[in-house]
Amino acid sequence: MKIMVAIKRVVDYAVKIRVKPDKTGVETHNVKMSMNPFCEIALEEALRIKESGLATEVVAVSMGPAQCVDTLRTGLAMGADRGIHVEAARELYPLTVARVLKRLVEVENPGLLILGKQAIDDDCNQTGQMVAGLLGWPQGTFASKVVLDKEKQIATVDREVDGGLETLCLDLPAVITTDLRLNQPRYATLPNIMKAKSKPIKKYTPEELNVEIKSDLEVVQVTEPPKRKAGVILSSVDELIDKLKNEAHVV
Ligand code: AMP
């Protein structure tokens, strides 16, 4: 069985985000970019499934500008067998990404498609659900445990839901999106970084996949959250109660 993993290139989680002066988006120029952390977890899970003998190949897919190849190389250094880059200069929104993924699934025919539960740049949390809908495949979102049964061709997925854990049984092929506690992604070792340089990355344009890059949503404005006021240290409980009563008016 082949596993396809969607990995997105995003602003690194440790970077302090700056909004562009014209409020059209966030600054990405000269900013460290990395693989979306939930996508690292998705790739790690695919690699563990392959290492346990339940899959034969892991294919990493990334869509966006030419620099996505760097993200794919990181994925190849972690252990993916090959990469697919769908080059698109403009920003892609979840429905377009889902349409491209659907076409790639038709070309590649994987038994499992694993995505991050959300990208930390747009926080959309939509792509996995949309591609499952477009493919008509079952979906296990926010997975914190995945167990495959090759003979029965099912995946048992524990999902993190508000009240605790929900366990689902999905017929394969299926879509899974990963939550934080699913696993701890590995670091790429130096020898594997070197090996990754010779692993293949296939390039497609959206036109070659017959997907029109159009968006049915428009970002009107991006603004910074209001600055938090500085806190004050109070000297006694009485002072706190006085402030809650007479300033905050909450008691
Ligand atoms: P989102 O719905 O935007 O929060 O993204 C959820 C997941 O969809 C990500 O964690 C990725 O697995 C996948 N994804 C979204 N955009 C891309 C992209 N441009 N390239 C590859 N995967 C993507």
Side-chain angles (χ1 to χ4, degrees), residues 6-8 36 39 61-63 92 94 97 115-119 122-127:
I7 59 176
K8 187 174 186 187
N36 180 45
C39 300
V61 177
S62 194
M63 289 157 233
L92 301 176
V97 175
L115 303 92
K117 74 165 179 181
Q118 74 191 59
D122 58 24
D123 272 344
C124 278
N125 178 3
Q126 295 170 4
T127 311

Side-chain angles (χ1 to χ4, degrees), residues 86-119:
V86 181
E87 189 150 17
R90 54 181 282 194
E91 191 169 351
L92 301 176
Y93 292 104
L95 187 54
T96 310
V97 175
R99 286 191 180 123
V100 173
L101 281 174
K102 175 178 182 271
R103 280 293 299 132
L104 288 173
V105 163
E106 287 161 0
V107 173
E108 291 284 338
N109 211 12
L112 199 57
L113 173 61
I114 313 185
L115 303 92
K117 74 165 179 181
Q118 74 191 59

Side-chain angles (χ1 to χ4, degrees), residues 146-218:
V146 175
V147 178
L148 287 193
D149 186 326
K150 207 175 172 182
E151 264 165 35
K152 293 190 189 145
Q153 282 292 295
I154 53 168
T156 306
V157 176
D158 284 354
R159 306 182 57 233
E160 301 209 353
V161 293
D162 268 357
L165 287 182
E166 179 184 61
T167 303
L168 296 178
C169 238
L170 312 175
D171 287 333
L172 297 179
V175 174
I176 290 174
T177 75
T178 57
D179 215 323
L180 206 59
R181 277 165 286 274
L182 179 60
N183 60 48
Q184 181 73 46
R186 69 195 64 187
Y187 289 105
T189 58
L190 192 57
N192 286 344
I193 293 172
M194 300 311 289
K195 270 191 222 154
K197 290 185 201 284
S198 56
K199 289 186 180 176
I201 295 181
K202 188 166 171 51
K203 251 191 205 320
Y204 284 104
T205 60
E207 298 74 47
E208 282 167 337
L209 294 168
N210 269 329
V211 181
E212 196 189 340
I213 300 290
K214 64 173 174 75
S215 181
D216 27 26
L217 64 89
E218 180 197 352

